[in-house]
Amino acid sequence: MPKLTGGRVCAALLASLFVSTAASAQVQERTLKFGYSTFEAHPLGQGANKFVELVGQKSGGKIKMKVYPATQLGSETQTISATQGGVQDIVGTSTAPLVGLVKEYAIFDFPFLFSNEKEADAVVDGPVGQTLLAKLSDKNLVGLCFFENGFRHVTNSKRPITTAADVEGLKIRTMQNPVYIDAFKTLGANAVPMPWPEVYTALESGAIDAQENPYGIIYVNKLNEVQKYVSVTKHAYSPWAMIMSKKLWDKLSPDEQKIFVDSCNEAKTYQRQVSRAEDAKIIGELKAKGMAINELSPEETAKIKAKLQPVIDKYAPSVGEDLVRQAQASIAGTH
């Protein structure tokens, strides 16, 4: 037998290790159903595609996912329910609809909790995020990781929002979520909870004046056609939870479970980079399409934040004082 030296020994060992790892991995052929609410071109859709690609790579092509973007399988509430029942395998959803299942998710709806993306990352990737993902297991769901939907801003057809008074009287669509509804009512708006697929038509007909969402959602849904003003309120930061049916999870081998968790964590890094790079481009595009974009002064933001403190005080006990403190500690750790 010829002697193996130096690099050849190393290469041979690596090759044998790869073969043994691949052979020992318990991965079955599977085709899964993955639905979410945004268009595929949105940074969330791009992140979802990266997740699908990574799962395919790590499973040696055995695990495939059929993707259904743009609410093809229903609203976020409907697809969460379908995933709980095992009818749908994986869902990507904003966190607001999860509050009805796990009340602690309302922490992400607290107005002006985060000032920047670094603070948000520290919370969703730290103990708070892990606690929230773990709490889904009691609801027949398994939380994999958080993508970024982004900071939310108000658009409307009436006027730029430069002070709290400018919000008064606006008929604004909110998610079907009590914190958002209370926050906008506190500012004097007429909060109208409404499923997302109905929003464009309601804005177009004048049934509502306003809505609030991150730049990417505003852009890919062409809200510039039915809204004139974008006010950079940054009133909330919206993560996007990647969630698997527990019925499916419990059927997976430990190797398969690891593939999904690792793929999600790799995809989230890519997705957040895409999201943040595209925000700057989208602002320019929205301006080019005729939208008027204005920022709130730090002084006015502070006034609005103070006005909304009673809303935070109302929901902090149900979220849990310990979780709120953990979030504040993670945010403080970024400074």
Side-chain angles (χ1 to χ4, degrees):
M1 182 176 173
K3 276 180 117 176
L4 295 176
T5 59
R8 290 173 67 193
V9 172
C10 208
L13 285 169
L14 283 171
S16 66
L17 180 64
F18 178 79
V19 170
S20 65
T21 303
S24 64
Q26 293 181 314
V27 181
Q28 291 183 27
E29 295 272 354
R30 300 179 187 276
T31 301
L32 307 179
K33 191 185 287 187
F34 175 20
Y36 56 91
S37 60
T38 68
F39 288 113
E40 205 166 354
H42 186 276
L44 290 170
Q46 294 181 51
N49 285 344
K50 175 62 76 173
F51 175 59
V52 171
E53 176 191 319
L54 287 166
V55 168
Q57 287 173 1
K58 292 178 189 296
S59 66
K62 287 184 175 181
I63 302 176
K64 300 175 179 66
M65 283 193 263
K66 172 74 173 149
V67 176
Y68 298 86
T71 65
Q72 287 178 41
L73 300 179
S75 69
E76 287 189 325
T77 305
Q78 289 168 330
T79 50
I80 291 165
S81 180
T83 305
Q84 281 181 291
V87 176
Q88 184 172 320
D89 298 304
I90 298 175
V91 61
T93 176
S94 56
T95 52
L98 294 171
V99 176
L101 295 175
V102 178
K103 65 185 188 310
E104 289 87 350
Y105 274 85
I107 194 167
F108 292 127
D109 305 326
F110 283 9
F112 301 100
L113 178 64
F114 304 111
S115 300
N116 54 53
E117 287 86 354
K118 188 178 179 183
E119 292 179 358
D121 288 350
V123 171
V124 299
D125 294 337
V128 171
Q130 292 308 304
T131 297
L132 291 171
L133 291 174
K135 282 183 177 293
L136 291 169
S137 63
D138 291 341
K139 307 296 178 183
N140 291 325
L141 298 167
V142 174
L144 299 174
C145 75
F146 290 106
F147 283 11
E148 172 173 280
N149 200 354
F151 277 100
R152 304 178 76 89
H153 313 291
V154 177
T155 72
N156 81 95
S157 57
K158 300 291 187 185
R159 54 186 172 266
I161 295 167
T162 57
T163 68
D166 295 323
V167 180
E168 290 177 17
L170 286 178
K171 289 179 289 183
I172 183 166
R173 178 266 176 178
T174 69
M175 290 178 286
Q176 291 154 305
N177 173 285
V179 183
Y180 277 81
I181 294 165
D182 280 1
F184 281 101
K185 281 184 176 175
T186 299
L187 295 176
N190 179 6
V192 183
M194 181 184 293
W196 179 246
E198 299 172 19
V199 173
Y200 184 98
T201 306
L203 290 168
E204 188 176 36
S205 69
I208 54 174
D209 307 313
Q211 66 84 51
E212 50 80 46
N213 256 306
Y215 289 125
I217 300 289
I218 296 165
Y219 179 69
V220 298
N221 289 280
K222 299 182 179 178
L223 296 190
N224 57 283
E225 297 173 350
V226 289
Q227 298 275 266
K228 173 66 178 172
Y229 303 100
V230 182
S231 298
V232 185
T233 49
K234 291 178 75 170
H235 56 273
Y237 175 87
S238 181
W240 206 62
M242 294 285 279
I243 301 171
M244 178 180 282
S245 166
K246 194 167 188 298
K247 287 187 177 182
L248 170 61
W249 178 263
D250 289 344
K251 293 175 190 170
L252 299 179
S253 70
D255 290 322
E256 289 171 321
Q257 291 175 350
K258 187 174 189 305
I259 284 168
F260 280 101
V261 173
D262 290 352
S263 297
C264 199
N265 283 318
E266 282 184 43
K268 81 182 180 190
T269 302
Y270 166 84
Q271 189 274 332
R272 291 176 195 172
Q273 288 169 348
V274 170
S275 175
R276 291 162 196 183
E278 290 209 354
D279 267 2
K281 287 193 290 184
I282 287 171
I283 292 167
E285 290 280 349
L286 293 174
K287 284 180 179 175
K289 290 177 184 294
M291 294 194 91
I293 300 179
N294 73 283
E295 297 207 10
L296 270 72
S297 70
E299 294 78 19
E300 286 302 328
T301 299
K303 286 179 189 174
I304 295 173
K305 187 175 179 179
K307 199 167 184 179
L308 292 175
Q309 189 59 44
V311 177
I312 295 173
D313 294 342
K314 176 181 175 180
Y315 288 97
S318 65
V319 164
E321 303 290 353
D322 284 347
L323 199 70
V324 173
R325 275 195 292 271
Q326 269 190 320
Q328 289 167 338
S330 293
I331 290 167
T334 67
H335 298 289

